Amino acid sequence: MAVLPIRIMGDPVLHAPASPVGEVDDEVRQLVADMFETMDAAPGVGLAAPQVGVGLRIYTYSYEDDAGAPWRGVILNPELWMRPLEPGEPDPDEESEGCLSVPGERFPLRRSDAVLVTGIDLDGAPVRIEVDGWRARIMQHEFDHLDGVLYIDRLSGSDAKTMQKIARKRGWGRPGLSWMPGVDDLEA
């Protein structure tokens, strides 16, 4: 396995819809193994293939709940259904999220509190996940990556302006930028 470079927000692969996975072959299996290693090294709770420069509809996830129970997996060609959003502004303490492709930054974002995700696993078997809370947030965040949407694209008002200033200051608006988990000194 290998840790892969994570693309930063200006890279074109992050802003384009990913293609469906056709055949689940050894190349796809190796990509997923490398994605798990990269996600763990970052560390992160999810990683979509476009974040490592691969335009395929794949994401990995890993989360430990309040009781310490692990929740880890991969979904290929996912479909997402979600409960309608609650109206109102997001709570900065309870609804802030970050992204490995926008290292070191966190912003509040309203997400649905419950989702259903279907797809397939590495054996081609059907996957069906119904989750709420942070697990639902992770599913929505990673699914967005497969449609070329970063969480910062969903920001509005002063948070969107702040993010634009950060991106300009750090030079993140240009293609080809990446960082290496475990090597580069970045907060993710």
Side-chain angles (χ1 to χ4, degrees):
M1 292 194 301
V3 173
L4 304 170
I6 295 177
R7 306 299 172 107
I8 295 181
M9 67 172 277
D11 199 288
V13 72
L14 294 172
H15 303 284
S19 300
V21 175
E23 179 185 350
V24 180
D25 57 14
D26 288 343
E27 189 174 320
V28 169
R29 285 184 188 86
Q30 184 61 56
L31 171 63
V32 169
D34 292 345
M35 287 174 63
F36 274 116
E37 186 167 337
T38 303
M39 178 181 65
D40 293 342
V45 296
L47 186 68
Q51 291 181 275
V52 294
V54 179
L56 289 175
R57 297 189 74 78
I58 302 171
Y59 66 79
T60 58
Y61 57 90
S62 183
Y63 181 73
E64 198 171 279
D65 67 17
D66 293 338
W71 179 67
R72 189 172 174 89
V74 60
I75 302 176
L76 287 68
N77 299 332
E79 293 187 35
L80 174 89
W81 292 268
M82 60 187 167
R83 186 178 295 161
L85 295 177
E86 293 289 327
E89 294 297 314
D91 180 329
D93 294 325
E94 299 294 324
E95 296 179 282
S96 287
E97 64 186 69
C99 180
L100 297 176
S101 293
V102 186
E105 303 303 326
R106 294 185 66 78
F107 290 95
L109 181 64
R110 179 63 43 103
R111 295 273 193 187
S112 176
D113 64 349
V115 299
L116 165 65
V117 180
T118 62
I120 61 170
D121 66 15
L122 287 176
D123 296 320
V127 172
R128 178 185 170 93
I129 300 172
E130 284 188 69
V131 290
D132 59 10
W134 275 101
R135 292 177 183 187
R137 179 175 295 274
I138 293 165
M139 295 286 114
Q140 292 167 84
H141 181 109
E142 299 311 325
F143 187 86
D144 272 354
H145 278 298
L146 304 183
D147 287 338
V149 177
L150 297 174
Y151 90 105
I152 58 171
D153 297 332
R154 296 189 178 281
L155 299 177
S156 60
S158 64
D159 288 337
K161 289 178 184 173
T162 298
M163 187 60 235
Q164 289 171 352
K165 288 178 187 175
I166 291 167
R168 277 194 303 275
K169 180 179 176 182
R170 296 186 182 166
W172 284 353
R174 60 185 193 274
L177 293 177
S178 65
W179 67 277
M180 287 295 295
V183 175
D184 293 331
D185 187 21
L186 292 174
E187 290 268 324

